[in-house]
Amino acid sequence: MVSSVMAVSCAGSVQGQVDFWDLPPINYSDTAPSDRLARLSANLPDSLLQQSSTLELLKLLLEELEIPVESQVLVFSKTSLQNGLIHPRNPRSLYFSENAYVGYVPGGDIEVIVEDAVLGPVYYLVRSNTKGLVIERDTSNCLSCHGTGRTEGVPGMLIRSVFPDSDGHPLLHLGTEDTTHESPIEERWGGWYVTGNSSLPHLGNRVYTSEGSTKPEMQELDDLRSVIDVSKYPRPTSDIVALMVLEHQCRMHTLLNAASMNYRRTHYFSQSLDPTADPNEGPAGRVAESWAEKIVECMFFKNEADLEDGAEGDPAFQRAFVSRFPKTSDGETLAEFRLYGRIFKNRCSYMVYSDAFRGLPLAVKALVLGKMKKIVANDDPDFDWISGSELRRIDSILSETLPEWNR
């Protein structure tokens, strides 16, 4: 988040103010999580308990959370929790699956976000000390950035592009951008290392003076061996394709969680005011409709930036990513890459298979699926940028791989 994904949650970003997610029925800070890391911490395997090396602990934690190590991307701007350790020679690495994120900076703690069925994103710090392995849920910091309008007013994830100086400090007077799949490539990845090739220029792999000039000019890198000590990380790459996927996913994740929290709060409040009324016929229904529209627009990559002649990244990430998601009997999948013009061959997000999508309130999910079916039936003129053949492929893939599609 903030040029990266990881952050820690905060129960009250303004003195004296309680954020709505800390009120019933969500009670974010006071509710015990039941996510995968919470369950793991209750019964830690010996392989994790016996690790004295933070790097080895990181690798084992990625395995336990089923996060592909090939998803590694590196951010060197000082824009996250452990800023004192981050600089261009010691960047922070990030890893992700559709259900979890892990951040690691050499010399520091491991940060984790895991999707919880009730709470949405839950934030942790993981460290080894003299007492052994410590896994702490954190509800005290960082929602000053990650619980604001930038994350739809709920705990969420975002990616930022900044103009870093030679020490990694963001030169905020030069500007900053939150990036999603809609952002032009020319505005992305300031403060990030980028390995791979793009037909379009971007802001990665460079630092700036306070006047805004870059030093040196952007360079294309196949790996980072000439730039940093790659032995401190599991891989020598910060893959361009992984970055593009991450930008889409963070926006998708935030919308799914915002929809869930806003609907649940409105439904609860409506019932408390009038227990005899159906909240879905009133305010809760309107909230569900509004968020379903936002989710579907992102799900079908509305306003996706043109990649033109495309990008080339690490095949290892692409193989690891595609292998995570179901295929049809004909081998079709929502995870297949295109990488010229657009990211994916089939413009319907793989996030339909995520825990966040599965955990949507039933009323919201029903509206999302209904809108999706209207689109793939070629019955929504607002999505006319997707061809009939592509829509038929999407419908076929969902029919075979998403059980809820056929209900």
Side-chain angles (χ1 to χ4, degrees), residues 211-261:
E211 293 77 25
S213 58
T214 180
K215 49 175 195 179
E217 288 298 319
M218 186 195 76
Q219 52 183 321
E220 289 191 342
L221 300 168
D222 292 328
D223 61 52
L224 298 170
R225 291 182 173 89
S226 64
V227 180
I228 62 171
D229 179 2
V230 297
S231 69
K232 296 191 292 186
Y233 303 89
R235 294 181 62 79
T237 54
S238 181
D239 185 57
I240 189 171
V241 179
L243 280 164
M244 290 191 290
V245 173
L246 181 62
E247 287 161 331
H248 165 73
Q249 177 174 307
C250 284
R251 180 59 179 160
M252 193 80 255
H253 240 146
T254 292
L255 289 175
L256 292 168
N257 285 311
S260 179
M261 286 191 174

Side-chain angles (χ1 to χ4, degrees), residues 377-396:
N378 211 2
D379 193 28
D380 190 333
D382 290 337
F383 292 81
D384 60 2
W385 69 85
I386 306 178
S387 70
S389 60
E390 185 179 344
L391 291 173
R392 287 190 293 274
R393 279 200 313 272
I394 292 169
D395 187 21
S396 176

Side-chain angles (χ1 to χ4, degrees), residues 327-347:
K327 294 182 179 180
T328 68
S329 55
D330 294 332
E332 294 281 2
T333 173
L334 295 182
E336 183 175 349
F337 288 103
R338 188 171 189 256
L339 299 181
Y340 61 92
R342 59 182 189 261
I343 303 172
F344 292 103
K345 174 183 176 181
N346 301 302
R347 282 169 289 184

Side-chain angles (χ1 to χ4, degrees), residues 32-40 65 114-117 119-120 122 124:
S34 60
D35 61 81
R36 184 165 187 155
L37 187 56
R39 297 194 301 271
L40 180 67
L65 295 175
V114 187
E115 184 72 17
D116 182 88
L119 300 174
V122 180
Y124 295 92

